[in-house]
Amino acid sequence: MTDFFNQLLPLLLLIGKILLVVVPLLICVAMLTLVERKVIAAMQLRKGPNVVGFWGLLQPFADGLKLLFKETILPSEASKIVFIAAPMLTFSLAMLGWAVIPIAPDFVIADINVGILYLFAISSLGVYGIIMAGWASNSKYAFLGAIRSSAQMVSYEVSIGFVIVTVMLMSGSLNLGDIVRAQGGGIQHWNAFGILFPMFVVFFISALAETNRHPFDLPEAEAELVAGYNVEYSAMSFALFFLGEYANMILMSGMATILFLGGWQPPLDVAPFTLVPGAAWFIAKVLACLFVFIWARATLPRYRYDQLMRLGWKVFLPLSLLWVVLVAGYVVYAKAG
């Protein structure tokens, strides 16, 4: 019996760590919808949601309950299995990325040596959920929205890939924990404030396009596509797409924090900054990135599609390629010397 318990203990610890990450993350995804509405309302001199619960704090749960009791409509000509699987895939991938994110020095679900490649692969797979939704809906508006979204996401994934290469060259490792530790010693050692500053800007703007956020929310352009790839979805299947977008925002903010903002490292390597737990610094940096996501939505006008593609292919791709060469030269000659 003792041997069986000893064999079961590692599995129970792993399940505990997963729940410790996923449950707060699901709550954060729900509350992020409220935070976005509150922040945009403040920027537009409005109150925002303030009726359900104190200061409107129960509004996300009321919205979720409403969607839960709505009827799920399956279009008669839709490919039903793919139609149902698409939102589940989109939301699940946003959760899976957190398996390798080191939230604190001694807390990560899976500390694998190729964590940066795992993250890139997971973020790249997100396009399949959108393509599946557009194709399975058997609607020309949904299909056009899916094609537009997939072209946009693939375009900016190329730039993100080269940005990740520059971070890998600077840290000399594919392990996300090693990348964070390479940025220790204060804010002056963070990748975002050194030679990789242009890549931080490229990464963040590409993250906006990757998550279909404003000003790159062209797949959801109501005027010409009637809400895009998810136009045929309703109730909880629509909610999963909606929550998947916000979960991807949190994941991309976590990636930006790990790759460029020092992860759990404090901004100054002196007391009282070093007395604050690493997880608190990580969460604060993710929240700061999320605020910029929301700020961009409240401020910037939507791009035209040709402007979007021109920015990705004619500006970001050549710039990121050039920076890979420059960083490689810097590592070989300056850093090594």
Side-chain angles (χ1 to χ4, degrees), residues 130-182:
I130 291 174
I131 292 176
M132 288 165 60
W135 179 82
S137 296
N138 198 27
S139 163
K140 60 183 179 182
Y141 295 109
F143 187 64
L144 284 170
I147 294 298
R148 176 184 281 189
S149 179
S150 60
Q152 171 179 324
M153 294 174 73
V154 169
S155 299
Y156 283 85
E157 278 167 12
V158 177
S159 300
I160 288 178
F162 285 118
V163 169
I164 288 176
V165 170
T166 62
V167 174
M168 183 185 66
L169 287 170
M170 286 296 291
S171 62
S173 175
L174 292 172
N175 183 281
L176 293 173
D178 292 342
I179 290 173
V180 174
R181 283 183 279 272

Side-chain angles (χ1 to χ4, degrees), residues 123-136:
S123 63
S124 300
L125 286 172
V127 68
Y128 288 103
I130 291 174
I131 292 176
M132 288 165 60
W135 179 82

Side-chain angles (χ1 to χ4, degrees), residues 24 30 66 68 163 216-217 234 248 276 331:
K66 177 188 71 174
L68 184 64
V163 169
F216 307 115
D217 58 339
S234 60
N248 275 318
V276 178
V331 170

